[in-house]
Amino acid sequence: MEVMNMANSLVSWVLDNTEDWKDNRDNNYLEAWKRYERLWRGVWDGSDKQRDSERSRIISPALQQAIENHTSEIEEAIFGQGGNFFTIEDDMQDMDKRDVEYIQAYMKENFKKNKIRKSIGDVILLSAIYGTGIGEIVTKEIKELVPATKPIDGMDAVAVGVEEKKRVIVGLNPISPQNFIIDPNAKSIEEALGVAIEEFVSAHTIAQKVKDGVYKDTDVNDDSSPDQDLEVSWIDQEYEDDKVRVLRYYGLVPKHLLDASDTEGEVEELFPEDT
């Protein structure tokens, strides 16, 4: 019972803080963000009228074209040199440069597999619309099929086929500012007490992660109430069924809320007291 209370206290602390941060964000920026999005999508709204006598509902595509052109120019500046949009410089004392060349080639290969270029383009587009571009670095383990050979018993031959291997990938998830929550007292992510990402996720995705052990096996309500202030992955319609609101928190929490038996082995001391 004590462990359960500690876990509930930790969840309550995170929710209370993120709700306060979200209220501050919405009060200061939400209306402007929604106006930016309407103008970009070409959606008319009465609140955007510049005078009461205005009757026209025509939205000029000039702004949308300007945003897309601006995004294209930035992407061209980043990716205009083909696949060489980053370079790793080796230490001057390292006489063998092959290790860094291998790492750079390996990273470029993985960036291509994980579609990092497309994700960066989405972040640039978000920054052009809202004035802020945010990306979440995510890691996950996947299974992939790779070419393989296997000796055949009793024969001087090998079988050619594929085998399944597990691989950890690092991806980039574009985040709308409407889904991003940050400590309002901070000027950067490094100075913030914490940040959070709030979004709707399909219920079957949650069920699969529970099965894989990513999430705890607990009751999940898949009938979330509509929230007009939460961006639904670039989809204009609100789907009320088969979705779950997920809040991912990255930041600091009071240490005493982590001192529970179910967190032993899961908390890493960054600054041990004996150092």
Side-chain angles (χ1 to χ4, degrees), residues 61-131:
L63 178 61
Q64 180 180 6
Q65 184 178 3
I67 289 176
E68 293 177 353
N69 289 341
H70 181 64
T71 301
S72 298
E73 291 175 359
I74 297 177
E75 289 189 30
E76 178 65 24
I78 297 175
F79 306 114
Q81 302 299 323
N84 300 321
F85 59 93
F86 72 91
T87 302
I88 302 177
E89 296 184 359
D90 200 355
D91 193 305
M92 293 181 59
Q93 297 180 357
D94 187 2
M95 304 303 297
D96 187 1
K97 307 296 183 181
R98 292 176 297 176
D99 53 350
V100 172
E101 293 176 357
Y102 168 79
I103 293 174
Q104 182 166 305
Y106 179 75
M107 288 183 64
K108 290 180 179 178
E109 179 181 328
N110 281 275
F111 279 14
K112 186 175 182 180
K113 288 183 178 179
N114 301 334
K115 301 179 180 178
I116 298 298
R117 176 170 178 171
K118 178 182 181 301
S119 298
I120 294 176
D122 292 340
V123 173
I124 295 172
L125 178 59
L126 287 169
S127 67
I129 298 171
Y130 299 103

Coordinates of all heavy atoms in Angstrom, one line a residue, residues 61-131:
P61 N -3.9 32.3 -50.7 CA -2.9 31.2 -50.5 C -1.5 31.8 -50.5 O -0.5 31.0 -50.4 CB -3.1 30.4 -51.8 CG -3.6 31.3 -52.8 CD -4.5 32.3 -52.1
A62 N -1.3 33.1 -50.5 CA 0.0 33.7 -50.5 C 0.8 33.3 -49.3 O 2.0 33.1 -49.4 CB -0.1 35.2 -50.6
L63 N 0.2 33.4 -48.1 CA 0.9 33.0 -46.9 C 1.3 31.6 -46.9 O 2.4 31.3 -46.5 CB 0.0 33.3 -45.6 CG 0.6 33.0 -44.3 CD1 1.9 33.8 -44.1 CD2 -0.4 33.2 -43.2
Q64 N 0.4 30.7 -47.3 CA 0.8 29.3 -47.3 C 2.0 29.0 -48.3 O 2.9 28.3 -48.0 CB -0.4 28.4 -47.8 CG -0.1 26.9 -47.9 CD -1.4 26.2 -48.3 OE1 -2.4 26.7 -48.7 NE2 -1.2 24.8 -48.3
Q65 N 1.9 29.7 -49.4 CA 3.0 29.6 -50.4 C 4.3 30.1 -49.8 O 5.4 29.6 -50.0 CB 2.6 30.3 -51.7 CG 3.7 30.2 -52.8 CD 3.3 30.9 -54.1 OE1 2.2 31.5 -54.1 NE2 4.1 30.8 -55.1
A66 N 4.2 31.3 -49.1 CA 5.4 31.8 -48.5 C 6.0 30.9 -47.5 O 7.3 30.8 -47.4 CB 5.1 33.2 -47.9
I67 N 5.2 30.3 -46.7 CA 5.7 29.4 -45.6 C 6.4 28.1 -46.3 O 7.5 27.7 -45.9 CB 4.6 28.9 -44.7 CG1 4.1 30.1 -43.8 CG2 5.0 27.7 -43.9 CD1 2.9 29.8 -42.9
E68 N 5.7 27.6 -47.3 CA 6.3 26.4 -48.0 C 7.6 26.8 -48.7 O 8.5 26.0 -48.7 CB 5.3 25.8 -48.9 CG 4.1 25.2 -48.2 CD 3.0 24.7 -49.1 OE1 3.2 24.9 -50.4 OE2 2.1 24.0 -48.7
N69 N 7.6 28.0 -49.3 CA 8.9 28.4 -50.0 C 10.0 28.6 -49.0 O 11.2 28.2 -49.2 CB 8.7 29.7 -50.8 CG 7.8 29.5 -52.0 OD1 7.7 28.4 -52.5 ND2 7.2 30.5 -52.5
H70 N 9.7 29.2 -47.8 CA 10.6 29.4 -46.8 C 11.2 28.1 -46.2 O 12.4 27.9 -46.0 CB 10.0 30.2 -45.6 CG 10.9 30.5 -44.5 ND1 12.1 31.3 -44.6 CD2 10.9 30.1 -43.2 CE1 12.7 31.3 -43.4 NE2 12.0 30.6 -42.6
T71 N 10.2 27.1 -46.1 CA 10.7 25.8 -45.6 C 11.6 25.1 -46.6 O 12.6 24.5 -46.2 CB 9.4 24.9 -45.3 OG1 8.6 25.5 -44.4 CG2 9.8 23.5 -44.8
S72 N 11.2 25.2 -47.9 CA 12.0 24.6 -48.9 C 13.4 25.2 -49.0 O 14.4 24.5 -49.2 CB 11.4 24.8 -50.3 OG 10.1 24.1 -50.3
E73 N 13.5 26.5 -48.8 CA 14.9 27.1 -48.8 C 15.7 26.6 -47.6 O 16.9 26.4 -47.8 CB 14.7 28.7 -48.7 CG 14.1 29.3 -50.0 CD 13.8 30.8 -49.8 OE1 14.1 31.3 -48.7 OE2 13.3 31.4 -50.7
I74 N 15.1 26.5 -46.4 CA 15.9 26.0 -45.3 C 16.3 24.5 -45.5 O 17.5 24.1 -45.3 CB 15.1 26.1 -44.0 CG1 14.8 27.6 -43.7 CG2 15.8 25.5 -42.8 CD1 13.9 27.8 -42.5
E75 N 15.4 23.7 -46.1 CA 15.8 22.3 -46.4 C 16.9 22.2 -47.4 O 17.8 21.4 -47.3 CB 14.5 21.6 -46.8 CG 13.5 21.3 -45.7 CD 12.4 20.4 -46.2 OE1 12.7 19.5 -47.1 OE2 11.3 20.5 -45.7
E76 N 16.8 23.1 -48.4 CA 17.9 23.1 -49.4 C 19.2 23.5 -48.8 O 20.2 23.0 -49.2 CB 17.5 24.1 -50.5 CG 18.5 24.3 -51.6 CD 18.7 23.0 -52.4 OE1 17.8 22.1 -52.5 OE2 19.8 22.8 -53.0
A77 N 19.2 24.5 -47.9 CA 20.4 24.8 -47.2 C 21.0 23.7 -46.4 O 22.2 23.6 -46.3 CB 20.2 26.1 -46.3
I78 N 20.1 22.9 -45.8 CA 20.6 21.8 -45.0 C 21.0 20.6 -45.8 O 22.1 20.0 -45.6 CB 19.5 21.4 -43.9 CG1 19.2 22.5 -43.0 CG2 19.9 20.1 -43.1 CD1 18.1 22.3 -42.0
F79 N 20.1 20.2 -46.8 CA 20.3 18.9 -47.5 C 20.8 19.2 -48.9 O 20.8 18.2 -49.7 CB 19.0 18.1 -47.5 CG 18.4 17.9 -46.2 CD1 17.2 18.5 -45.9 CD2 19.0 17.1 -45.3 CE1 16.6 18.3 -44.6 CE2 18.5 16.9 -44.0 CZ 17.3 17.5 -43.7
G80 N 21.2 20.4 -49.3 CA 21.5 20.7 -50.6 C 22.8 20.0 -51.1 O 23.0 19.9 -52.3
Q81 N 23.6 19.5 -50.2 CA 24.8 18.8 -50.6 C 24.7 17.3 -50.6 O 25.6 16.5 -50.3 CB 26.0 19.1 -49.6 CG 26.2 20.6 -49.4 CD 26.7 21.2 -50.7 OE1 27.5 20.6 -51.5 NE2 26.3 22.5 -51.0
G82 N 23.5 16.9 -51.0 CA 23.2 15.4 -51.1 C 23.0 14.9 -49.7 O 22.2 15.4 -48.9
G83 N 23.6 13.8 -49.4 CA 23.4 13.1 -48.1 C 24.4 13.7 -47.0 O 24.4 13.2 -45.9
N84 N 25.3 14.6 -47.4 CA 26.3 15.1 -46.5 C 25.8 16.3 -45.7 O 26.3 17.4 -45.9 CB 27.6 15.4 -47.2 CG 28.2 14.2 -47.9 OD1 28.2 13.1 -47.4 ND2 28.7 14.4 -49.1
F85 N 24.8 16.1 -44.9 CA 24.3 17.3 -44.2 C 24.8 17.4 -42.8 O 24.4 18.2 -42.0 CB 22.7 17.3 -44.1 CG 22.1 16.0 -43.5 CD1 21.8 16.1 -42.1 CD2 21.8 14.9 -44.2 CE1 21.3 14.9 -41.5 CE2 21.3 13.8 -43.6 CZ 21.0 13.8 -42.3
F86 N 25.8 16.5 -42.4 CA 26.6 16.7 -41.2 C 28.0 16.1 -41.4 O 28.2 15.2 -42.3 CB 25.9 16.1 -40.0 CG 25.9 14.6 -40.0 CD1 26.9 13.9 -39.4 CD2 24.9 13.8 -40.7 CE1 26.9 12.5 -39.4 CE2 24.9 12.5 -40.7 CZ 25.9 11.8 -40.1
T87 N 28.9 16.6 -40.6 CA 30.3 16.1 -40.7 C 30.8 15.9 -39.3 O 30.6 16.7 -38.4 CB 31.2 17.1 -41.5 OG1 30.6 17.3 -42.8 CG2 32.6 16.6 -41.6
I88 N 31.6 14.8 -39.1 CA 32.2 14.6 -37.8 C 33.7 14.8 -38.0 O 34.3 14.1 -38.9 CB 31.9 13.1 -37.4 CG1 30.4 12.9 -37.2 CG2 32.6 12.9 -36.0 CD1 30.1 11.5 -36.8
E89 N 34.3 15.7 -37.2 CA 35.7 16.0 -37.3 C 36.5 15.1 -36.3 O 36.1 15.1 -35.1 CB 36.0 17.4 -37.1 CG 35.4 18.3 -38.2 CD 35.7 19.8 -38.0 OE1 36.4 20.1 -37.0 OE2 35.3 20.6 -38.8
D90 N 37.5 14.5 -36.7 CA 38.3 13.7 -35.8 C 39.3 14.5 -34.9 O 39.6 15.6 -35.3 CB 39.1 12.7 -36.6 CG 39.6 11.5 -35.8 OD1 39.3 11.5 -34.6 OD2 40.1 10.5 -36.3
D91 N 39.7 13.9 -33.8 CA 40.7 14.5 -33.0 C 42.0 14.6 -33.7 O 42.4 13.7 -34.4 CB 40.8 13.7 -31.7 CG 41.6 14.5 -30.6 OD1 42.7 14.9 -30.9 OD2 41.0 14.6 -29.5
M92 N 42.7 15.7 -33.5 CA 44.0 15.9 -34.2 C 45.0 14.9 -33.8 O 45.9 14.5 -34.5 CB 44.5 17.3 -33.9 CG 43.7 18.4 -34.5 SD 44.4 20.1 -34.2 CE 46.0 19.9 -35.0
Q93 N 44.9 14.4 -32.5 CA 45.9 13.4 -32.0 C 45.6 12.0 -32.5 O 46.5 11.1 -32.4 CB 45.9 13.4 -30.5 CG 46.3 14.7 -29.9 CD 46.3 14.7 -28.4 OE1 45.9 13.7 -27.8 NE2 46.7 15.8 -27.8
D94 N 44.5 11.8 -33.2 CA 44.2 10.5 -33.7 C 44.8 10.3 -35.1 O 44.3 11.0 -36.0 CB 42.7 10.3 -33.7 CG 42.3 8.9 -34.1 OD1 43.2 8.0 -34.3 OD2 41.1 8.6 -34.2
M95 N 45.8 9.5 -35.2 CA 46.4 9.3 -36.5 C 45.6 8.4 -37.5 O 45.8 8.5 -38.7 CB 47.8 8.7 -36.3 CG 48.7 9.5 -35.3 SD 48.9 11.2 -35.9 CE 49.8 10.9 -37.4
D96 N 44.8 7.6 -36.9 CA 43.9 6.7 -37.8 C 42.6 7.3 -37.9 O 41.8 7.4 -37.0 CB 43.8 5.3 -37.1 CG 43.1 4.3 -38.0 OD1 42.7 4.7 -39.2 OD2 42.9 3.2 -37.6
K97 N 42.3 7.8 -39.1 CA 41.0 8.5 -39.4 C 39.9 7.6 -39.8 O 38.7 8.0 -40.0 CB 41.2 9.5 -40.5 CG 42.3 10.5 -40.2 CD 42.1 11.4 -39.0 CE 43.2 12.4 -38.8 NZ 43.0 13.2 -37.6
R98 N 40.2 6.3 -39.9 CA 39.2 5.4 -40.4 C 38.0 5.2 -39.4 O 36.9 4.9 -39.9 CB 39.8 4.0 -40.8 CG 40.8 4.1 -42.0 CD 41.4 2.8 -42.2 NE 42.3 2.4 -41.0 CZ 42.9 1.2 -41.0 NH1 42.8 0.4 -42.0 NH2 43.7 1.0 -39.9
D99 N 38.3 5.3 -38.1 CA 37.2 5.0 -37.2 C 36.1 6.1 -37.3 O 34.9 5.8 -37.3 CB 37.8 5.0 -35.7 CG 38.6 6.3 -35.4 OD1 38.9 7.0 -36.3 OD2 39.0 6.4 -34.2
V100 N 36.5 7.4 -37.4 CA 35.5 8.4 -37.5 C 34.8 8.3 -38.9 O 33.6 8.6 -39.0 CB 36.2 9.8 -37.4 CG1 35.2 10.9 -37.7 CG2 36.7 9.9 -35.9
E101 N 35.5 8.0 -39.9 CA 34.9 7.8 -41.2 C 33.8 6.7 -41.2 O 32.8 6.8 -41.8 CB 35.9 7.5 -42.3 CG 36.9 8.6 -42.6 CD 38.0 8.3 -43.6 OE1 38.0 7.1 -44.0 OE2 38.8 9.1 -43.9
Y102 N 34.2 5.6 -40.5 CA 33.2 4.5 -40.3 C 32.0 5.0 -39.6 O 30.8 4.7 -40.0 CB 33.8 3.3 -39.6 CG 32.8 2.3 -39.2 CD1 32.3 1.4 -40.1 CD2 32.4 2.2 -37.9 CE1 31.4 0.4 -39.8 CE2 31.5 1.2 -37.5 CZ 31.0 0.3 -38.4 OH 30.1 -0.6 -38.0
I103 N 32.2 5.7 -38.5 CA 31.0 6.2 -37.7 C 30.1 7.1 -38.5 O 28.9 7.0 -38.4 CB 31.5 6.9 -36.4 CG1 32.2 5.9 -35.5 CG2 30.4 7.5 -35.7 CD1 32.9 6.5 -34.3
Q104 N 30.8 8.0 -39.2 CA 30.0 8.9 -40.0 C 29.2 8.2 -41.1 O 28.0 8.5 -41.3 CB 30.9 9.9 -40.7 CG 30.2 11.0 -41.5 CD 31.1 12.2 -41.9 OE1 31.6 12.8 -41.0 NE2 31.2 12.5 -43.2
A105 N 29.8 7.2 -41.8 CA 29.1 6.4 -42.8 C 28.0 5.6 -42.2 O 26.9 5.5 -42.7 CB 30.1 5.5 -43.6
Y106 N 28.2 5.1 -41.0 CA 27.2 4.2 -40.3 C 26.0 5.1 -39.9 O 24.9 4.7 -40.0 CB 27.9 3.6 -39.1 CG 26.9 2.7 -38.3 CD1 26.5 1.5 -38.7 CD2 26.4 3.2 -37.0 CE1 25.6 0.7 -38.0 CE2 25.5 2.4 -36.3 CZ 25.2 1.1 -36.8 OH 24.3 0.4 -36.1
M107 N 26.3 6.3 -39.4 CA 25.2 7.2 -39.0 C 24.4 7.6 -40.2 O 23.1 7.7 -40.1 CB 25.8 8.4 -38.3 CG 26.3 8.1 -36.9 SD 26.9 9.6 -36.0 CE 25.4 10.5 -35.9
K108 N 25.0 7.9 -41.3 CA 24.3 8.3 -42.5 C 23.4 7.2 -43.0 O 22.3 7.4 -43.4 CB 25.2 8.8 -43.6 CG 25.9 10.1 -43.3 CD 26.9 10.5 -44.4 CE 27.6 11.8 -44.1 NZ 28.5 12.2 -45.2
E109 N 23.9 6.0 -42.9 CA 23.1 4.8 -43.3 C 21.9 4.6 -42.4 O 20.8 4.4 -42.9 CB 24.0 3.5 -43.2 CG 23.2 2.3 -43.6 CD 24.1 1.0 -43.5 OE1 25.3 1.2 -43.8 OE2 23.6 0.0 -43.2
N110 N 22.1 4.8 -41.1 CA 20.9 4.7 -40.2 C 20.0 5.9 -40.3 O 18.7 5.7 -40.2 CB 21.5 4.6 -38.7 CG 22.0 3.2 -38.4 OD1 21.2 2.3 -38.0 ND2 23.3 3.0 -38.5
F111 N 20.5 7.1 -40.5 CA 19.6 8.2 -40.8 C 18.7 8.0 -42.0 O 17.5 8.3 -41.9 CB 20.4 9.5 -41.0 CG 20.9 10.1 -39.7 CD1 20.8 9.4 -38.5 CD2 21.4 11.4 -39.7 CE1 21.3 10.0 -37.3 CE2 21.8 12.0 -38.5 CZ 21.8 11.3 -37.4
K112 N 19.2 7.3 -43.0 CA 18.4 7.0 -44.2 C 17.4 6.0 -43.9 O 16.2 6.1 -44.3 CB 19.3 6.6 -45.3 CG 18.6 6.4 -46.6 CD 19.6 6.0 -47.7 CE 18.9 5.9 -49.1 NZ 19.8 5.5 -50.2
K113 N 17.7 5.0 -43.1 CA 16.8 3.9 -42.8 C 15.6 4.4 -41.9 O 14.5 4.1 -42.1 CB 17.5 2.8 -42.1 CG 18.4 1.9 -43.0 CD 19.0 0.8 -42.2 CE 19.8 -0.1 -43.0 NZ 20.4 -1.2 -42.2
N114 N 16.0 5.3 -41.0 CA 15.0 5.8 -40.0 C 14.3 7.1 -40.5 O 13.5 7.7 -39.7 CB 15.7 6.1 -38.7 CG 16.4 4.9 -38.1 OD1 16.0 3.8 -38.4 ND2 17.4 5.1 -37.3
K115 N 14.5 7.5 -41.7 CA 13.8 8.7 -42.4 C 14.0 9.9 -41.6 O 13.1 10.7 -41.3 CB 12.4 8.3 -42.6 CG 12.1 7.1 -43.4 CD 10.6 6.8 -43.6 CE 10.4 5.6 -44.5 NZ 9.0 5.3 -44.6
I116 N 15.3 10.2 -41.1 CA 15.5 11.4 -40.3 C 15.4 12.6 -41.2 O 14.9 13.7 -40.6 CB 17.0 11.3 -39.7 CG1 17.1 10.1 -38.8 CG2 17.3 12.6 -39.0 CD1 16.2 10.1 -37.6
R117 N 15.7 12.6 -42.4 CA 15.6 13.7 -43.3 C 14.1 14.2 -43.3 O 13.9 15.4 -43.3 CB 16.1 13.4 -44.7 CG 15.9 14.6 -45.6 CD 16.6 14.4 -47.0 NE 16.4 15.5 -47.9 CZ 17.1 15.7 -49.0 NH1 18.0 14.8 -49.4 NH2 16.8 16.7 -49.8
K118 N 13.2 13.3 -43.5 CA 11.8 13.7 -43.5 C 11.4 14.3 -42.2 O 10.6 15.3 -42.2 CB 10.9 12.5 -43.9 CG 9.4 12.8 -43.9 CD 8.6 11.5 -44.1 CE 7.1 11.9 -44.2 NZ 6.6 12.5 -42.9
S119 N 11.8 13.7 -41.1 CA 11.4 14.2 -39.8 C 12.0 15.7 -39.6 O 11.3 16.5 -39.0 CB 12.0 13.3 -38.7 OG 11.4 12.0 -38.8
I120 N 13.2 15.9 -40.0 CA 13.8 17.2 -39.9 C 13.0 18.2 -40.8 O 12.7 19.4 -40.3 CB 15.3 17.2 -40.3 CG1 16.1 16.4 -39.4 CG2 15.8 18.7 -40.4 CD1 17.6 16.3 -39.7
G121 N 12.5 17.8 -41.9 CA 11.7 18.6 -42.8 C 10.4 19.0 -42.1 O 9.9 20.1 -42.2
D122 N 9.8 18.0 -41.4 CA 8.5 18.3 -40.6 C 8.8 19.3 -39.5 O 7.9 20.2 -39.2 CB 8.0 17.0 -40.1 CG 7.4 16.1 -41.2 OD1 7.2 16.6 -42.3 OD2 7.3 14.9 -40.9
V123 N 9.9 19.2 -38.8 CA 10.3 20.1 -37.7 C 10.5 21.5 -38.3 O 10.0 22.5 -37.7 CB 11.5 19.6 -37.0 CG1 12.0 20.7 -36.0 CG2 11.3 18.3 -36.3
I124 N 11.1 21.6 -39.5 CA 11.3 22.9 -40.1 C 10.0 23.6 -40.5 O 9.7 24.8 -40.3 CB 12.2 22.8 -41.3 CG1 13.6 22.4 -40.9 CG2 12.3 24.1 -42.1 CD1 14.5 22.0 -42.1
L125 N 9.0 22.7 -41.0 CA 7.7 23.2 -41.4 C 7.0 23.8 -40.1 O 6.3 24.8 -40.1 CB 6.9 22.2 -42.0 CG 5.5 22.5 -42.4 CD1 5.4 23.7 -43.4 CD2 4.7 21.3 -43.0
L126 N 7.0 23.0 -39.0 CA 6.4 23.5 -37.8 C 7.0 24.8 -37.3 O 6.3 25.7 -36.8 CB 6.6 22.4 -36.7 CG 5.7 21.1 -36.8 CD1 6.2 20.1 -35.9 CD2 4.2 21.4 -36.6
S127 N 8.3 24.9 -37.4 CA 8.9 26.2 -37.0 C 8.5 27.3 -37.9 O 8.4 28.5 -37.4 CB 10.5 26.0 -37.0 OG 10.9 25.8 -38.3
A128 N 8.3 27.1 -39.1 CA 7.9 28.1 -40.0 C 6.4 28.6 -39.7 O 6.1 29.7 -39.9 CB 8.0 27.7 -41.5
I129 N 5.6 27.7 -39.3 CA 4.2 28.0 -39.0 C 4.1 28.6 -37.6 O 3.4 29.7 -37.5 CB 3.3 26.7 -39.0 CG1 3.3 26.1 -40.4 CG2 1.9 27.0 -38.6 CD1 2.7 24.8 -40.5
Y130 N 4.6 28.0 -36.6 CA 4.4 28.5 -35.2 C 5.5 29.3 -34.7 O 5.4 29.9 -33.6 CB 4.2 27.3 -34.3 CG 3.1 26.4 -34.7 CD1 3.2 25.2 -35.3 CD2 1.8 26.8 -34.3 CE1 2.1 24.4 -35.6 CE2 0.7 26.0 -34.6 CZ 0.9 24.8 -35.3 OH -0.2 24.0 -35.6
G131 N 6.7 29.3 -35.3 CA 7.8 30.1 -34.8 C 8.7 29.2 -33.9 O 9.7 29.7 -33.4

